[in-house]
Amino acid sequence: VCISCFILPVSEKEVEFYSTIRDKDPEFVQWIAGYHGVKEVNQNDINGKFMIIDDLTYPYRQPSVVDLKMGVKTWEDDAPTEKIERESKKYPLQRKIGFRLTGMRVFNPEKQDFDIYGKDYGYSLTEETLPNLFTNFFSFVKAEFRQTVIRSVIQQLESILDWFENRGHLQFICTSVLIIFEGDTESDYHPIVRLVDFAHMKQLAADQRDEGFIVGLKWILNDLKKRVERVCKSVRKRVLL
């Protein structure tokens, strides 16, 4: 049953992925949106066949969301040379860190509106300024709950990393990691991590892994773990004093 859904243009590869992943790899289903098939839509100037996907931000009131495009490359192996050159120039640092920011919105309770960070902000991030990404994302989580929220995100990302390192034999191109939490709350942030966009993926051999995706997950986890560790050190210092 679809309580809150949105429609996406039909992609044959993505339809195949959603239609078969539950049988092929039921573990993976926990990290993706619910899929409700392909339906004909004819309303409000929207006409054609569309995939029906659960809205991952339901039932958050004011969801803070970050969209991280994963992998060290954003093109398939058989892509035209022109596309490879164009994509590789967009954000060269992605070849090293394994992801790039494509969008982020953070609910700002002080102004009761969202702070928006677009693609231009993502492209502007250097290796030195990248930590600002998560500083901004978690900036309005109350200090007494911030460590708990980040730890939850870490645990979810570690489960996904474990799948990619040990059981996952799929390669994902232009797939995103979404991190979502409630922005309008005093304590119940309910952070979740999900994967979206599966129009460019392929089966790998049994001895292969999606190394580019793994690079990105490890960089993100390293950053988040450093944040938790800094909080722990600060608490220990206060106790010693």
Side-chain angles (χ1 to χ4, degrees):
V1 178
C2 181
I3 299 175
S4 179
C5 295
F6 61 92
I7 61 175
L8 290 175
V10 169
S11 157
E12 289 186 11
K13 276 192 175 182
E14 199 158 18
V15 168
E16 180 184 3
F17 171 82
Y18 276 113
S19 301
T20 60
I21 190 64
R22 187 174 296 277
D23 292 328
K24 289 182 177 179
D25 198 331
E27 179 187 10
F28 196 82
V29 175
Q30 66 184 300
W31 301 310
I32 65 176
Y35 172 67
H36 302 278
V38 175
K39 296 182 181 179
E40 189 80 29
V41 178
N42 295 287
Q43 60 181 11
N44 300 328
D45 297 324
I46 299 176
N47 299 282
K49 290 185 176 181
F50 294 87
M51 298 185 298
I52 311 300
I53 306 291
D54 279 345
D55 178 1
L56 291 171
T57 63
Y58 175 85
Y60 294 90
R61 294 183 301 277
Q62 302 289 357
S64 291
V65 184
V66 62
D67 183 329
L68 305 170
K69 192 72 69 179
M70 302 299 294
V72 297
K73 64 176 187 176
T74 56
W75 59 86
E76 296 178 279
D77 293 337
D78 59 353
T81 302
E82 297 79 11
K83 181 176 181 179
I84 294 175
E85 292 178 353
R86 184 174 66 252
E87 289 292 319
S88 62
K89 291 177 181 178
K90 282 184 177 180
Y91 189 55
L93 185 59
Q94 186 168 357
R95 299 284 287 172
K96 179 178 181 179
I97 65 174
F99 72 95
R100 73 170 184 257
L101 174 73
T102 59
M104 180 169 71
R105 68 178 194 180
V106 183
F107 184 70
N108 184 331
E110 297 172 2
K111 65 179 185 181
Q112 287 294 297
D113 200 358
F114 288 95
D115 293 336
I116 304 296
Y117 302 83
K119 288 184 179 180
D120 288 344
Y121 172 75
Y123 290 142
S124 74
L125 291 170
T126 65
E127 197 163 1
E128 291 72 31
T129 62
L130 262 173
N132 295 339
L133 190 164
F134 287 115
T135 298
N136 291 328
F137 186 55
F138 295 112
S139 60
F140 294 107
V141 176
K142 291 183 181 296
E144 61 266 37
F145 298 108
R146 191 173 300 144
Q147 187 174 4
T148 300
V149 170
I150 296 176
R151 282 186 184 277
S152 176
V153 172
I154 289 172
Q155 289 172 356
Q156 294 175 68
L157 286 170
E158 284 182 330
S159 295
I160 295 171
L161 176 62
D162 179 62
W163 182 88
F164 272 91
E165 288 189 318
N166 299 300
R167 296 177 298 287
H169 303 296
L170 296 173
Q171 182 183 45
F172 298 95
I173 303 295
C174 290
T175 291
S176 286
V177 163
L178 295 188
I179 304 174
I180 306 169
F181 65 83
E182 177 59 67
D184 185 18
T185 183
E186 292 298 315
S187 60
D188 187 14
Y189 292 92
H190 189 57
I192 63 170
V193 178
R194 296 292 185 268
L195 306 183
V196 298
D197 298 335
F198 305 105
H200 306 281
M201 50 79 62
K202 71 175 183 178
Q203 185 71 46
L204 297 175
D207 61 344
Q208 292 181 309
R209 312 183 304 179
D210 189 340
E211 300 293 347
F213 209 109
I214 289 171
V215 168
L217 287 173
K218 285 185 174 180
W219 196 99
I220 295 166
L221 278 164
N222 184 55
D223 179 277
L224 296 178
K225 287 177 179 179
K226 284 180 180 179
R227 293 172 188 279
V228 171
E229 180 58 26
R230 283 198 295 268
V231 172
C232 290
K233 287 182 178 179
S234 176
V235 171
R236 286 196 292 268
K237 285 182 179 179
R238 288 200 298 269
V239 171
L240 290 173
L241 291 174

